[in-house]
Amino acid sequence: MPKIVELKIQDNKRIYQELTQNLSPYKGESPGSVLFIVEGTKRKPVIGIRYPGKKLRKRTLKVERANSALWANLYDFEVVPYKNGKELSTQNFTFGELMRDFQENKSNNKKFWAMLEGLYNDNTITKRPPKLPGIDPLLYLLVLKWIWIQEDFNYRFNWQEVESPVRYVLETRTGSRTSKGAGRAKFFAALILLKHYFSFALVKKIIPLY
């Protein structure tokens, strides 16, 4: 059983900084051994993040210096959705499944799109979303919020930008650097194409999503 920690973000404008402070002490634990409940409570969880993630690893350096980055992808985590307090399969919330659900059930709703734009720009959900078929709209937005945060950690921000207490780099297993990437923008661009009448199959060809 993972250790369960209820984590309440105090200042949404500093969400990345608060996460680095809370996650970094557990960097040396076994993958997925700590579950932070970031939406809801321990008794009624809505979204959890399982840490450390599979991409996090200790780097092997030929020479270690005082300013060496000994870790790679330090804030990788897995987003875990819940319904009625029970964990749902993450396979139902892959980028592919989220894209398909958006196209089939949500792409024509103006209010939902406005909420997606707000979420993309500042990680906030300020209203109750409209009732729509498919994946519950609020759960959809909350899952996407934390997937986007995870994408930003893995492909966009460096350790200084998120004020990490531990220096790290973003890189693949072969050592290629991945910082300054698109982060959340890649998936949001796919949603824009879906909204403007491109098919799911065609969007996957235009913007391959991992």
Side-chain angles (χ1 to χ4, degrees):
M1 288 290 291
K3 177 179 181 177
I4 300 176
V5 179
E6 190 172 310
L7 174 56
K8 294 294 184 184
I9 299 299
Q10 302 301 312
D11 182 356
N12 198 67
K13 293 181 179 179
R14 290 184 53 79
I15 192 168
Y16 299 95
Q17 291 78 7
E18 289 191 33
L19 285 168
T20 63
Q21 298 299 317
N22 282 279
L23 269 60
S24 60
Y26 299 95
K27 61 185 180 297
E29 301 294 328
S30 300
S33 60
V34 185
L35 180 65
F36 291 88
I37 303 302
V38 290
E39 304 284 351
T41 64
K42 279 187 179 181
R43 293 187 64 183
K44 295 183 178 180
V46 179
I47 299 291
I49 56 175
R50 191 174 280 128
Y51 182 82
K54 294 179 180 179
K55 294 179 181 178
L56 186 156
R57 59 186 176 81
K58 189 79 178 288
R59 302 175 74 214
T60 301
L61 304 177
K62 292 181 179 179
V63 179
E64 290 187 12
R65 297 183 173 85
N67 63 347
S68 293
L70 303 181
W71 298 87
N73 314 315
L74 187 58
Y75 299 105
D76 180 54
F77 55 76
E78 180 185 21
V79 179
V80 182
Y82 290 82
K83 182 177 181 179
N84 298 326
K86 294 184 178 181
E87 184 176 328
L88 300 175
S89 172
T90 56
Q91 294 305 307
N92 295 327
F93 295 88
T94 63
F95 276 140
E97 291 300 319
L98 291 172
M99 286 171 60
R100 192 186 304 277
D101 181 77
F102 175 76
Q103 182 183 45
E104 294 176 355
N105 302 304
K106 299 172 174 66
S107 60
N108 294 322
N109 189 281
K110 292 182 179 180
K111 183 178 179 181
F112 189 79
W113 180 255
M115 295 185 71
L116 269 175
E117 288 182 316
L119 180 62
Y120 174 77
N121 288 320
D122 54 23
N123 292 319
T124 58
I125 302 170
T126 58
K127 302 176 182 178
R128 191 79 186 176
K131 292 183 179 180
L132 298 169
I135 297 172
D136 176 80
L138 180 57
L139 185 59
Y140 186 106
L141 292 170
L142 288 171
V143 168
L144 195 54
K145 169 185 174 178
W146 288 97
I147 288 179
W148 275 348
I149 289 169
Q150 189 264 338
E151 288 284 289
D152 287 342
F153 269 126
N154 279 351
Y155 301 104
R156 183 181 175 190
F157 295 133
N158 63 39
W159 70 279
Q160 293 165 308
E161 290 173 299
V162 296
E163 298 178 17
S164 173
V166 179
R167 187 187 294 258
Y168 67 95
V169 296
L170 301 177
E171 65 181 20
T172 64
R173 290 193 176 277
T174 60
S176 300
R177 296 298 173 91
T178 59
S179 62
K180 299 303 179 184
R184 67 179 58 201
K186 191 174 183 180
F187 185 71
F188 189 61
L191 293 179
I192 291 173
L193 292 177
L194 287 173
K195 178 176 171 57
H196 292 286
Y197 313 114
F198 286 85
S199 69
F200 174 67
L202 186 55
V203 169
K204 287 200 300 181
K205 294 179 180 179
I206 298 171
I207 306 179
L209 291 168
Y210 321 112

